[in-house]
Structure formats: C-alpha cells, structure tokens
Amino acid sequence: MTSWSFEPLLGSWWLVIAVAVLLLAGLWIKPQFSSASPLRQRILIGLRLLLILLVIFAMLRPGMVWSQFKSQRATLAVMLDFSASQQLPSDTSGLTRWQKQREIWDEVAALAKASKEDLDLVAYGYDGQLRPLALNSEGNAELPAQPTGKVTDIGKVLFDLTTIKTESPLAGLVFVGDGTITADNSNYDPLQIARQMGQMDQPIIAVGTGPRGGSADSRDIAIEGVVEEMEVFSRNRLDIKGTLRLRGLVGSQIPMRVSLIASDGTQTILDTKQISPREPDEALPFSIPITAPDPGEYRVVIEAEAQTNEAITTNNMATSFVTVKSGGVRALYIEGQPRQEQVFLRRSINASPDIQLDFLILPPSTRERWPIDLKAVLEGDEYDAFILGDVDSAAFGSEQLELLKTRVENGAGLLMLGGFHAYDGGGYGSTPLAEVIPLQLRAGIQQPFGQPVLNQLHWDGEIKMMPSGTHPVMQLASDGTKNNEIWQKLPSFDGANRWLNIKQLPGIQVIAAGDQGQPLIVAAGVERGRVLAMAVDSTWKWWLHGDQQIHKQFWRQALLWVLGRDRIEEGLTVAMDQRRLYREQNAAFRVRWQAGTGQQEIPDSVQVVIEKPDGTTIPVKTVKKGAETLEGSWLVEGEAGIYKLRATAPRTGNDATGKPLIAELPFLVLDNSVELANPIPDWQLLAQLAESTKESGGALVDGTTVVEAVRSLVRRLQTQQTEVELARRLGDKALDQWIYLGFFAMLLIVEWWLRKRWQMA
C-alpha cells in the first residue's frame, strides 16, 4: 500500500500558491521572445515552466509512504551448564555430561552460522550466576576445560536472561543441562519465568544431559529427608525418619544399616534391613524407633550398601546429630482467658532451651463441659511444674485440684498468676488447693461470669512493684542498688488482686509489694514443693517497654525457683543452620549466652574456633547481635570428616574466677560438593520448562534431536514476516538535494546555451 503526502514550506499552502502565481505572471510578462521563431519560443517557455514547476515541487516537499513485508531477524540464546555436576557420566557412552554439552554446542553453533542472515547467536554459561560467553568471528565460544560451578540456580539465571537487551528480539532459548537446582533458598521460580517467556513467544528448547531416571545407566541409591539434628531427653523414644530412593535397581537386594556413634567413637548397630525395590524409580519411606541413650552427643548414621555401576556413592549415607539431654524442665500452663499476659509469658519461657512449656486454655465458653478431664496430667509425673492463669476453679473440679495439691506436696512447682477468676474470684478458697496456697482465701465467694467485677477482690489503678527484701526471683542484678534501679524503671501494673491476708506460717515470705505496701508476690515452701502466688497479670508491659531481656529473666527465675533451682547459672550454647556441609559451602552459626542471676551480657572475650578432624583449630570471627548472641560463618575447606564448632567464654560476676564455659557442636563435612551429591538429572523440571512454552515451540529434546528442534525454530522464524512501513520525503537525504540542484542547474544551462546559440539577448 502506497500513499502520498505534502508538507508545504512553512506549513502554508497560501505561500506556495502566491509564489506560483508570481512566477507564472513573470513568465507571462517577461521575457519577450518576439524575435524568435514560434518553435524556439515554445522551447524557451517550456524550459521556464519546468523551472517554475521545480520551485513549486520543492516548496510542496512531497513524501511517499509504503509498506513492505520482511522476515524478522531474531536472536537465539544458548545456555550451557557450568556446574560441577556436568563432570558426572552422561550415559553408557562413556562421555561426561560436559563432553555431551560441547558436542551439542558445536552442532547448534554450526546451524546458527548457516542461518546467520536470519539469526543472531548469543551464548551464556550458568551455575549460580549467568555468565556471557564471547564469540569469535567464526561464531565459536571459548569453553572451559571442566565445569566447576558450586551451585545451580536455574530460576535466577533465567530471570537474568530476560533482563538482557539483545540487538534483535529474543526468538528462543536452547537450555542445556541436567535441570537440578542446588542453590539454597532461591528467590526465583523457574517455571514462572518460563511461563512469562512463553507469553512473549520465546520458546525454550530444553536439552537434558545425563541419564533418565529408571534407565539402565542411572543406577543410584540415595538416603533423603533425614533431619540434620535432633534433641531428646534420655530414655525417651526417638524416631529416625527418612526416605530411601532407589533408581535402576529392580530385583536387587539392598542391605541397609542404622548405627549410633558416641562422641568417643563407640559404634552400636541399632537395626539392619534388606530392601528389594520393585519399581525402576522407587521412594521408600522408613521410620526406625530407638530409645535415647545416656546424655551426650551422638551421631545416627543410616547407610545402604553401594551397588555396581553407581555413578556416585556418597549419597548412600546420611548422618543425623542427636543431642541427648538429662533432666530438663517440662511445665504446663493452664489459662482461662486469651489475654496478653499469656502471649508474652509463653514467649519468654520458650526462649529457654532447657524448658518445655505446654499450653492449655479453658475459656468460659467451655463451661458446659467443666470440669475438664485433666486427671492424667495432674496425677502423673509428666510435668515438673504447673502455671495457673486467670482460670476458674470450676474448670478443674474439687477432685482434680486435690490431685494437683498432692503433686505440689510431692515436689511439683506451682505458679499462680493474677486475674479476675484467680484466687478468691475463682472460688479457690473452697477447694483442696487452698491448703497449699500461701494466702488466706475467702470461702464461699466467687466472681460470677458476665457480671461486674467484685471491687473488694482487686486493687485498681497503676501499681509500682518493688522487691521486699532479697529473693532469687526478684534478683535482676547482682548488686542490690542496681537491682532496685531496674525495678524502679519498669512500667507499673494495671491493678492487682487484693488478698485478704497472708498465712503466717514458716517458709512463707512476701517478696514483692506495691507502692502502698500491697503484697503482690508471695513465695512459700509446701512440704517437698514450692508455690509462688502473684497478684499481678500485666508484666507484658515490660516487653512492650523494651525490657524483653528483663521479662525473660524474671519468668525463668520464677519458674526455676518453684522447682527448687534458686540460682540461675550462666550458660553457653552454640547452634548451626546446617550440620551436614559440603566443601566451599558457607557454615553459619550462632553462640547463645544464658545470663545468670547477675544478668551479665555476653562477654566480649568469647573465642570461637573450628576444630578439624586432625585436631588443629581455626579461629573464626563473630559479630555481636544483642545482649546474648554472637553470629558468624566459616567457608568450609579441608578434608571430609567430623569437625567441631567450639566457643569458650569466661564466667562473669561472682563466678568470674571459675572455670571458663565451653560449648561444642560437631558437624559433618562431606567428601564432595552439593553439585555431585545427586547424580540423577531433574528431567521433570526440564519437561516443565519446555511445556510452559509449548505453544511458542518449546520442546524437551536430547542431544540427538536438538539440531532438528533448532531447525524447526529457524524455519518458524523465516515464515514469520513483519509488515514494515517505509517513508521518503523530498530533501530528507543529501542525495535528494544534489539531484534537485543538478536538474535545476541543467535547465538553466540549457536555456542559456540555446539563447547563446540563437543569438538572443
């Protein structure tokens, strides 16, 4: 389709018309050719008319627009897997995956070179990053002798590709690799990016390297899903769970063994099995129950015997680190209202690794089912301590409160919190539990549900609490003056329970009082147990005030006191994000400080080292994070084996002269990299990438069919023609101006030459 247009000089048609009229009028008036013959006059007038038309033509600046269909030039991207997994065998041919990739690259590059009039070729290597490859004049790339990438992040490299601008539009991607993602916590979903590429008409030709699962050349045993570390109390049951994945081993007998290795190297066989896979690719879950041994550090090793022709055997074994603890504290917190106090109390107590706090709520909405059957937990020895919140005595019933009283007398701890249905308001004065509560409770009085609060049972307004004398629960600092300063700065409470009186018996002590002398916390020894009665229920304000550490210390001290552990010892623990690591992987760790009664921050002189299997140590730097934590990391290097993370800290405060605190944590460094841990390609992911772009021409192929797939893509591009709109206007190019000037000058010269020849003026 062709169209014409005009752009008159200065945008004025009237100017063009005026000039044309003037020029034609001048031709009409002058020159006079009367002396010439009629033929000569017509020739000269014709030349003048041509000159006038040229002037008008130039002033109109004519332009032409027309359409033309052209084959679209496009870019083909090729991505080659540079990760270390490409060193593994490709198939039974004896070639590695990297050698297969080089063959594929040579074929694709040759085809792209033959189609260079329609196709631009760009190449990239990838592992955890996308790496552009320079192509020489022949279209060849200089590839490394061996791939050594540490991790593979397919989602990230696909995303990076979509952000790169190419000279011509990206028409497709030849993605070569095994499809296995080994990067931890990737932020990119490869399938989502593939779907976006499909919507942009950019097909993915996925070329898999390595054997398919279930084929004869993909024999592999892998133990998966075994947790890296577990904690359990001595003599408790522990289940070792995982999955045994078997590929290409139908009909084989696979011996499997579970061993327990103590810190001194002593090994105990816990279980043995014979596994017979029935499918080419089979995942068999297992669960092996064991009884936790004596306290200490152990390793549970699950291993399957290596089979002939396995590509790698390091994944035939999995190790789990087991910490067996002695004692520990287990407490049950029973609450009657979903109030703020219980949220922050649980948060603070759960911050102590040696305390397990279970929670049970008995809200008034369940009154029709009261008393709730708690006999099993109240008469057994499952719990060392009980915490009663704002829960009415009717939720338990007299019989079960008798059981709780007996448990306290036999050594269990009891901690009671304030609330509208605590103490008198909960009707405890008429229950057997009143015998162990260190208060004179009113019998026959109880706060009705849904009724106004009984004022005689409560102190209203803000109440500032301060220690009464010296007691371990109230000791937030080793120095008495500093301790009082801390209490003085803490926020006031929103009211408190008003008790009738305190029992006047040996072992009962008011350890905290309000600013008007109101007793707020009473401690008591009851036969072999201890009881702590608190009239307040708004210590959560401390947490919101920024005194989280004080809140944690107070509640830990309160709970441990009712258990007979008056003094909190300083402690040091170490933890790692991962305890099974590969070489060149980053080992992140934390050192946690358990402040003692003196509430000292973690010392600045904590030393952290890595002990290697040969006994040598490597110092590691740490960064302080808050008052009780150090963080650091170590790039794993050295031979495979059992390493130890060790932290050493001096004691502080009154214990400054004691032996230093030492915490150790063993971890395992495996023999190869994470890239070599799984020899089986992820053909499923490769198929999904191709399927996501199927409508655009995406396909899953192998090395023998990749050339035909690329040829199909090129043919598809050649049949796709784009309508291109072209435009040309007089004067747009310098050539136009020179042609116009030459023609104009030629007409003037011809007229001058004719007049000269005809001897005209």
Side-chain angles (χ1 to χ4, degrees):
M1 180 179 177
T2 304
S3 62
W4 289 86
S5 64
F6 297 93
E7 286 188 6
L9 186 66
L10 302 178
S12 173
W13 284 93
W14 290 108
L15 176 62
V16 176
I17 293 171
V19 172
V21 170
L22 289 173
L23 291 174
L24 291 172
L27 180 62
W28 180 262
I29 299 171
K30 288 185 179 181
Q32 297 294 328
F33 302 127
S34 58
S35 61
S37 66
L39 176 61
R40 290 179 177 179
Q41 289 184 26
R42 285 194 292 271
I43 291 174
L44 292 173
I45 290 173
L47 289 172
R48 289 292 179 92
L49 281 173
L50 285 175
L51 287 169
I52 291 171
L53 289 175
L54 278 177
V55 172
I56 294 173
F57 189 70
M59 293 183 69
L60 289 175
R61 298 187 71 239
M64 183 176 68
V65 179
W66 71 100
S67 298
Q68 182 177 344
F69 287 90
K70 290 185 176 181
S71 296
Q72 184 179 11
R73 188 169 186 82
T75 294
L76 176 67
V78 180
M79 292 174 59
L80 302 175
D81 192 341
F82 275 21
S83 66
S85 65
Q86 299 305 294
Q87 301 174 21
L88 296 170
S90 177
D91 48 37
T92 54
S93 66
L95 297 178
T96 65
R97 299 176 190 179
W98 181 241
Q99 290 171 322
K100 278 287 187 181
Q101 279 200 93
R102 296 181 74 103
E103 290 182 355
I104 293 169
W105 163 251
D106 291 340
E107 293 175 346
V108 173
L111 179 57
K113 184 178 179 181
S115 308
K116 62 181 180 181
E117 293 183 0
D118 302 304
L119 204 61
D120 295 321
L121 181 66
V122 293
Y124 303 91
Y126 71 90
D127 40 37
Q129 304 289 332
L130 189 65
R131 309 179 188 280
L133 300 178
L135 303 182
N136 59 25
S137 58
E138 297 297 321
N140 295 321
E142 185 176 344
L143 302 178
Q146 286 291 342
T148 57
K150 299 175 183 178
V151 295
T152 304
D153 191 345
I154 293 176
K156 183 179 188 306
V157 297
L158 285 178
F159 174 79
D160 290 344
L161 176 69
T162 61
T163 62
I164 295 176
K165 292 184 178 180
T166 53
E167 293 185 3
S168 55
L170 182 64
L173 166 65
V174 179
F175 183 87
V176 190
D178 56 23
T180 303
I181 298 174
T182 57
D184 292 330
N185 304 319
S186 176
N187 296 321
Y188 302 89
D189 180 2
L191 296 181
Q192 180 180 353
I193 298 168
R195 287 190 289 270
Q196 293 172 355
M197 293 180 68
Q199 294 169 359
M200 298 174 66
D201 201 25
Q202 297 170 345
I204 297 177
I205 299 175
V207 189
T209 59
R212 291 181 180 268
S215 64
D217 50 351
S218 65
R219 293 166 64 88
D220 183 58
I221 300 173
I223 297 176
E224 304 171 342
V226 178
V227 298
E228 294 189 1
E229 59 182 347
M230 293 176 281
E231 289 187 354
V232 63
F233 288 107
S234 179
R235 306 306 171 193
N236 283 1
R237 173 184 165 128
L238 178 66
D239 290 320
I240 308 298
K241 297 181 179 181
T243 300
L244 180 65
R245 181 171 286 278
L246 305 166
R247 300 180 177 95
L249 292 165
V250 174
S252 302
Q253 291 290 323
I254 314 297
M256 179 177 168
R257 182 176 66 184
V258 182
S259 306
L260 182 71
I261 303 175
S263 56
D264 61 0
T266 304
Q267 182 172 353
T268 304
I269 305 299
L270 300 178
D271 196 6
T272 58
K273 294 179 181 293
Q274 287 285 336
I275 309 297
S276 298
R278 299 179 180 179
E279 301 292 336
D281 187 351
E282 190 168 8
L284 302 174
F286 60 82
S287 179
I288 303 170
I290 66 173
T291 300
D294 295 332
E297 291 287 340
Y298 297 85
R299 283 179 287 139
V300 174
V301 179
I302 305 100
E303 52 189 330
E305 187 174 294
Q307 301 298 298
T308 306
N309 294 330
E310 278 194 82
I312 61 171
T313 58
T314 52
N315 59 349
N316 292 33
M317 181 177 70
T319 299
S320 180
F321 292 91
V322 179
T323 301
V324 181
K325 296 182 175 181
S326 62
V329 174
R330 191 171 182 185
L332 177 62
Y333 178 12
I334 304 175
E335 182 59 82
Q337 302 287 345
R339 54 184 182 162
Q340 285 182 296
E341 183 74 346
Q342 59 89 14
V343 174
F344 293 97
L345 188 154
R346 291 162 60 195
R347 187 179 298 177
S348 285
I349 292 181
N350 285 330
S352 298
D354 56 341
I355 300 177
Q356 177 180 331
L357 182 67
D358 294 338
F359 181 67
L360 176 65
I361 186 167
L362 306 175
S365 58
T366 63
R367 291 203 305 274
E368 293 181 359
R369 295 186 285 112
W370 286 1
I372 303 296
D373 185 6
L374 300 174
K375 186 176 181 181
V377 298
L378 293 176
E379 69 178 355
D381 58 0
E382 181 179 0
Y383 293 102
D384 304 297
F386 298 88
I387 301 175
L388 300 187
D390 190 13
V391 56
D392 198 279
S393 65
F396 301 97
S398 180
E399 182 181 349
Q400 293 188 128
L401 288 176
E402 178 70 37
L403 294 176
L404 180 56
K405 183 199 80 166
T406 302
R407 286 282 286 113
V408 173
E409 292 173 340
N410 290 336
L414 176 62
L415 199 161
M416 298 185 69
L417 310 180
F420 294 121
H421 290 273
Y423 306 111
D424 297 309
Y428 285 92
S430 303
T431 69
L433 194 65
E435 296 182 28
V436 297
I437 298 175
L439 311 171
Q440 290 183 5
L441 299 180
R442 306 170 178 87
I445 190 171
Q446 194 166 0
Q447 173 67 53
F449 287 99
Q451 299 296 320
V453 174
L454 299 176
N455 293 328
Q456 68 268 33
L457 303 182
H458 300 279
W459 298 100
D460 292 329
E462 292 191 350
I463 300 175
K464 171 68 71 174
M465 183 170 74
M466 293 296 293
S468 297
T470 302
H471 193 274
V473 172
M474 304 298 293
Q475 199 71 20
L476 300 180
S478 55
D479 178 74
T481 302
K482 185 176 180 181
N483 186 60
N484 287 335
E485 290 176 355
I486 293 174
W487 281 106
Q488 190 65 44
K489 292 178 181 178
L490 290 175
S492 300
F493 295 119
D494 297 331
N497 286 81
R498 186 197 294 258
W499 295 323
L500 180 64
N501 213 334
I502 310 300
K503 290 180 179 177
Q504 302 299 313
L505 296 173
I508 296 178
Q509 176 186 359
V510 176
I511 64 173
D515 40 15
Q516 297 181 19
Q518 313 98 310
L520 297 180
I521 302 180
V522 178
V526 180
E527 297 189 13
R528 294 168 56 192
R530 288 183 176 183
V531 178
L532 198 65
M534 300 181 60
V536 295
D537 63 352
S538 50
T539 62
W540 55 267
K541 296 175 68 176
W542 301 354
W543 189 285
L544 300 185
H545 188 257
D547 296 306
Q548 294 93 339
Q549 191 60 33
I550 295 294
H551 194 268
K552 293 177 185 178
Q553 182 186 355
F554 172 77
W555 283 111
R556 177 178 170 83
Q557 290 177 176
L559 186 56
L560 293 182
W561 183 85
V562 298
L563 290 168
R565 304 180 186 182
D566 295 8
R567 178 173 175 79
I568 302 176
E569 299 293 334
E570 292 177 333
L572 195 67
T573 59
V574 288
M576 300 181 68
D577 292 345
Q578 292 179 261
R579 293 179 68 179
R580 290 196 299 256
L581 299 156
Y582 295 97
R583 285 199 293 265
E584 299 183 339
Q585 201 172 350
N586 202 44
F589 63 86
R590 292 171 304 284
V591 180
R592 291 287 304 275
W593 173 257
Q594 174 60 59
T597 303
Q599 189 58 20
Q600 300 291 327
E601 288 192 4
I602 187 169
D604 295 329
S605 55
V606 174
Q607 295 181 343
V608 180
V609 298
I610 301 292
E611 182 181 307
K612 303 174 81 171
D614 61 5
T616 59
T617 59
I618 304 170
V620 184
K621 293 182 179 180
T622 58
V623 177
K624 192 172 184 180
K625 297 289 185 179
E628 56 184 23
T629 305
L630 298 176
E631 292 183 355
S633 63
W634 176 63
L635 184 63
V636 178
E637 56 184 4
E639 62 182 7
I642 300 296
Y643 289 64
K644 287 183 181 179
L645 171 67
R646 181 186 302 123
T648 306
R651 295 185 182 272
T652 63
N654 296 331
D655 293 331
T657 58
K659 293 182 178 180
L661 297 169
I662 299 176
E664 288 186 342
L665 193 68
F667 62 95
L668 176 64
V669 173
L670 299 172
D671 192 37
N672 53 16
S673 71
V674 65
E675 279 291 324
L676 299 175
N678 184 5
I680 305 302
D682 192 345
W683 283 90
Q684 182 179 2
L685 177 60
L686 294 173
Q688 290 172 331
L689 292 175
E691 183 67 24
S692 299
T693 62
K694 184 177 181 180
E695 293 184 2
S696 304
L700 174 64
V701 299
D702 55 27
T704 61
T705 56
V706 61
V707 173
E708 183 55 37
V710 176
R711 279 202 185 101
S712 298
L713 177 60
V714 174
R715 286 195 296 268
R716 180 169 173 267
L717 290 174
Q718 291 171 339
T719 59
Q720 291 179 344
Q721 291 191 328
T722 303
E723 183 179 3
V724 180
E725 190 176 80
L726 304 174
R728 182 75 178 273
R729 187 170 298 282
L730 180 66
D732 285 349
K733 296 185 177 181
L735 181 62
D736 297 347
Q737 300 172 14
W738 283 107
I739 292 174
Y740 178 86
L741 181 61
F743 192 57
F744 193 88
M746 183 187 69
L747 291 176
L748 291 175
I749 292 170
V750 169
E751 181 186 356
W752 175 80
W753 181 77
L754 289 175
R755 291 168 65 104
K756 193 75 173 175
R757 180 168 180 167
W758 294 337
Q759 296 181 350
M760 297 176 63

